[in-house]
Structure formats: structure tokens, C-alpha cells
Amino acid sequence: MAIGVEKMYESPTPTVVEFIGRAGNYFWEFENFGLTFPGYYALYMTAYMNRFGATEEDFCKVAVKNHYYGSINPKAQFYGLRITVDQCLKSRYVAWPIKLYDSSPITDGAAAVILASEDLARKITDTPVWIRSVGVATGTANLSKRPDFIGLDAAYQAAEQAFKRIGIEHKDTWKYFDVADVHDCFTIAEVMAYEDLGFVERGMGIQLVRNEQTYKGGLIPVNLDGGLKAKGHPIGATGTSMAVEMTKQLRQGVEPRDRQADIYTGWALAHNVGGTGHYAYVTIYSLDKNGSPRVKPKR
Amino acid sequence: MVMSLEAKYEEFWRQSIKQLNEVVKATGLPIAPDEKGQYSLWYDVREMRLRFSISVERIKRFFDGLREGKVYATKCRRCGRYYFPPQADCPYCRASDMDWVEVGGEGELLTYTVINTKPLTYSHYPDYVVAIARMREGFNVLAWLRVDDPKRVRVGMRVRLQVVRREPEGYLTYEFVPVEQ
Ligand SMILES: [Zn+2]
């Protein structure tokens, strides 16, 4: 059994900001310039907005989607709480252009999965979910050493490895997966994930948001559990909770059905990031033990 | 100036500990509500004061530079790669054969943010702009950008690197200032 647990909700916010901030590049970015985690992602959001003409309103739509799904997930921190674009736009800045409602909250949480060999898995369940591929890569600790600020190279490289192992190209990958969970610690992180994972090309992630193509029924449903944004981000439990969600989705056991993705190919993807892209994992799950994913039917 | 900030922190801690002692005296336990007033927290009675010490021995030249009003990068003598923040070793050449070169000064702003929710140890500063610029030599630098109005900051604007004394702590560091067009 793999268990992820975190308890941080009752800690005072300035203390949490201090300790998470110190998890970046300590000397050159925190000690001297007081960079916070929202600040790190804000540097990406500013660059992305400038490069691709995205707006704060566009990013708020990610928050609205994830809150919608969180509101119908009884295990979510914000169960029962929906938000509007307007509420998001009016929320206070944490690290301009990132606002409170662009940010995942401080959360308590836990998740567990049973990892088993093929023999044992067949004994304990009729519907095992296979871990078909894992990609992992690291990025620079120092943000200024990265060549650009419109995507996370570690996530891109992790995806590249993961896709290679199951024999698919790192391009238009939305068509192979029924559902995905991505590391939306901030709304910009979700949009960059769409692109790092090759669902769409660089710069097109924001179009997926505008056209509501990452809701259930869209090109690729993302974070139907509410994501880090609304399910909550208990740091040590977040990765395991994605494994739980992808397993439930593929086995079509999600309640209520409004957040159960339609399962066509039987493949799902989880994307998890540590630090600010210091490292990233892409894990691919399938109901099939062998073979490559088929393409989703046109609808 | 240094004393005033320290005195402020001392006073803050003194008050907190005094309050805690009163709570212990009155209730027999160091338990009080959290800042949201929702949950009971046990406030540690074993105080640990911690300041990290970080070795800068091999990049001491950088800090000598700040005292001369200069910002230095390192440049590998073998492959010509620049390093900023400066490092004493080139991982590509697996060598420690570095020149110390002064950063030319001008750069183009790649991105920026304004830190509104600050870490505890930065809570005494007004909101600050953190920016990354691509310097003329081709490497990036991350630092505060000194501007009166953050609304006037633009990606692509030209900035210059300068050595400043960070107050109220009073130590030397570097920051960007806009280049007047
Ligand atoms: Zn070299």
C-alpha cells in the first residue's frame, strides 16, 4: 500500500509561505529576493500572457472549471462551493498576476493505493488498472537558468519519455486519453500542462480553456476531481490522490456521474510536478495490459 | 537601521512569549486558537532560533565585487559558458577554470511579478517586484526591479543591473533599474 498524507491547514499562512518559499532556490531567490511559490508561477503567467495574448480572465476560467468539479466531489476541500469568473477576477492579488482564486489552497488530506504484482492483482480484483508508463525528469533549481517561461521543461521531458514507452507521438495526445489529472497548483500551471503534455501545441492551451474543451465531454477532460485548485493540495498526498482518481475514472466508479469521464480508450494520464518544475512525473494508466492506445472516436 | 528591525522582531517575540506564558499560567497548558480563530494550537515551549550559514568560500570574488559596486558572473575558460549566479565549476568541462567577468549591465525584461503575499521574514517590506532579465551576454538574472509604479513595468523593457544596499538589513545586493529611453 502506498499512502500519501499531509496536514498543513491549521498552520498560519505567513509560515506556510515562508517554508514553501524556502523550497525553491534558497540563496539566490529566497534569501535575497523573497520569491514565493505563487511568485514563481506568476513569472510564468506574465510571460505566457505576454507571449500568447492570454488574459487574467482566461486563467480564471480554469479556476471556475476546477471549482465546478470540486463542488460535486464530496472529498474535495471546496465541496459545495462554486465560483464565478467575476469572483475570481475580484479576488486579491497574491503575486500579480496570480490572484487568490488562481491558487490552490492550504489543505489537509490523505490518499492510498494498493500496488500489486500481476498475479496478486488478479486475485484481489477483476478490474486491475495497469501502470503502463512512467516518465520522470528534472529541471534547474534556479529559475533564472531556464531558457523560457512558457512551459516546464521537466514536465515536457517526462511526458516525452512516458509517451515513447507506449509508442505514441508527443503531439495531439488529447486523442489517446479519456481523462487526465494535472498539477494545477496555480491556474497557469494547468494551462502549461496541457501544452507540456502535448494535448495541444504550445500557446494553444488557453484555447482549450476558452472553448471549455477540458470539461467532461470536451476534447480531453482534465481534473474532474477538482484538481489541486478545488480538491485541495495536501502536498504529500497530492500525487497519490491522482493515482486514486485515475483508477476510479478508468473503472467508471466515480460518483456523482457528473464528474465521471466517458471511457472510450481506457487510458488515463496523471501529471505531477515538484518544486516549480524542479522535477516532474507523468504516469500513464490503462485498462489494457498490453498494446498502445487507440484513438478516441470522433464525436 | 539593523538594530531597529531586530528590535522590532525582538519585541514581537517578547510579546508572543509573554502572552503564551500568561496562557500557561491561566490554563496550565500552552494551547491557544490559531490565527483564523478556528483551531486549537499547541505553541511549542522549546524555542529554536535558526539562521542558516551557507558557504560562499569558492565564490567569494562575487561578494568582493559587490563591495566594489560591481556584479560578477563566472565564465569558463575552456568552453566560454557564462554562469550566473556565479559558480566555481563548469559541469560541461568538469573543470574549475573560471574567469570572473563583470556583468555588462543592460538587459531585456523577460518576465516579472509583484509579491503581494509575503513570507514572514519579508513582511516588513512594501510589495516588491521580482523580475528576470536576459543580459546582453546571453544569460538571465533574477532580481528585484526598482520602480515607483509596477503598472509601468513591461515585458521587453530595458533594465540595468546595479549594486545597492538592502535596507533595513543594510547588506549589499543587486537589483534592476529601468534604463531611461
Ligand atoms: Zn566549460
Side-chain angles (χ1 to χ4, degrees), chain B residues 76 78-81 83 90 92-93:
Chain B
C76 178
R78 300 193 186 177
C79 68
R81 282 188 177 85
Y83 290 97
C90 177
Y92 294 92
C93 302

Side-chain angles (χ1 to χ4, degrees), chain A residues 130 132-133 159 162-164 166-182 194 197-200 213 215 217-222 246 249-250 261-271 282-287 292-297 299:
Chain A
W130 304 96
R132 292 295 310 277
S133 182
F163 294 147
K164 194 169 275 175
I166 56 162
I168 63 170
E169 246 190 293
H170 193 170
K171 189 175 187 286
D172 297 334
T173 52
W174 63 268
K175 63 188 179 195
Y176 302 112
F177 299 99
D178 290 326
V179 64
D181 252 11
V182 306
Y194 297 164
L197 293 167
F199 293 165
V200 287
Q213 289 299 320
Y215 278 83
L219 276 183
I220 171 103
V222 177
M246 292 302 96
Q249 287 283 354
L250 287 177
D262 300 322
I263 302 301
Y264 298 109
T265 67
W267 289 70
L269 179 153
H271 153 279
V282 171
T283 310
I284 296 175
Y285 301 93
S286 176
L287 293 170
S292 293
R294 287 171 293 124
V295 172
K296 274 192 277 196
R299 11 205 272 115

Side-chain angles (χ1 to χ4, degrees), chain A residues 28, chain B residues 59-75 82-87 99-105 137 139 141 161 163 174:
Chain A
W28 297 96
Chain B
I59 50 166
K60 222 159 49 178
R61 185 79 192 84
F62 176 81
F63 299 96
D64 293 339
L66 292 181
R67 277 209 293 267
E68 301 156 11
K70 292 174 179 171
V71 181
Y72 282 113
T74 51
K75 187 180 183 189
Y82 284 98
Y83 290 97
F84 193 93
Q87 31 184 94
D99 274 326
W100 286 89
V101 291
E102 194 183 345
V103 179
E137 295 89 337
F139 56 83
V141 174
L161 205 53
V163 175
Y174 49 94

Side-chain angles (χ1 to χ4, degrees), chain A residues 137-293:
Chain A
T138 58
T140 68
N142 200 295
L143 213 69
S144 64
K145 295 200 170 175
R146 298 185 186 174
D148 65 48
F149 301 94
I150 51 173
L152 299 179
D153 190 55
Y156 182 89
Q157 298 299 340
E160 183 82 3
Q161 287 175 26
F163 294 147
K164 194 169 275 175
R165 200 160 290 135
I166 56 162
I168 63 170
E169 246 190 293
H170 193 170
K171 189 175 187 286
D172 297 334
T173 52
W174 63 268
K175 63 188 179 195
Y176 302 112
F177 299 99
D178 290 326
V179 64
D181 252 11
V182 306
H183 191 91
D184 59 323
C185 49
F186 300 96
T187 51
I188 173 67
E190 176 157 332
V191 175
M192 290 195 297
Y194 297 164
E195 301 174 9
D196 291 333
L197 293 167
F199 293 165
V200 287
E201 278 172 38
R202 186 70 65 202
M204 295 301 284
I206 208 70
Q207 300 294 343
L208 281 182
V209 175
R210 285 178 189 152
N211 299 322
E212 302 193 341
Q213 289 299 320
T214 53
Y215 278 83
K216 174 181 171 167
L219 276 183
I220 171 103
V222 177
N223 290 340
L224 299 192
D225 52 4
L228 281 58
K229 176 70 194 79
K231 178 190 62 193
H233 185 19
I235 295 175
T238 289
T240 315
S241 82
M242 291 176 166
V244 170
E245 176 70 10
M246 292 302 96
T247 302
K248 282 189 179 165
Q249 287 283 354
L250 287 177
R251 296 164 87 173
Q252 306 199 45
V254 175
E255 292 291 345
R257 306 306 286 171
D258 285 349
R259 56 173 215 87
Q260 167 67 57
D262 300 322
I263 302 301
Y264 298 109
T265 67
W267 289 70
L269 179 153
H271 153 279
N272 201 8
V273 176
T276 53
H278 296 58
Y279 49 95
Y281 284 83
V282 171
T283 310
I284 296 175
Y285 301 93
S286 176
L287 293 170
D288 299 328
K289 195 189 151 222
N290 299 302
S292 293

Side-chain angles (χ1 to χ4, degrees), chain A residues 9 30-31 43 46 96 145, chain B residues 36 87 111-113 122 128:
Chain A
Y9 181 68
F30 184 85
E31 163 84 358
L43 291 169
T46 303
W96 182 94
K145 295 200 170 175
Chain B
K36 297 158 196 149
Q87 31 184 94
T111 189
Y112 68 100
T113 177
Y122 275 78
Y128 44 89

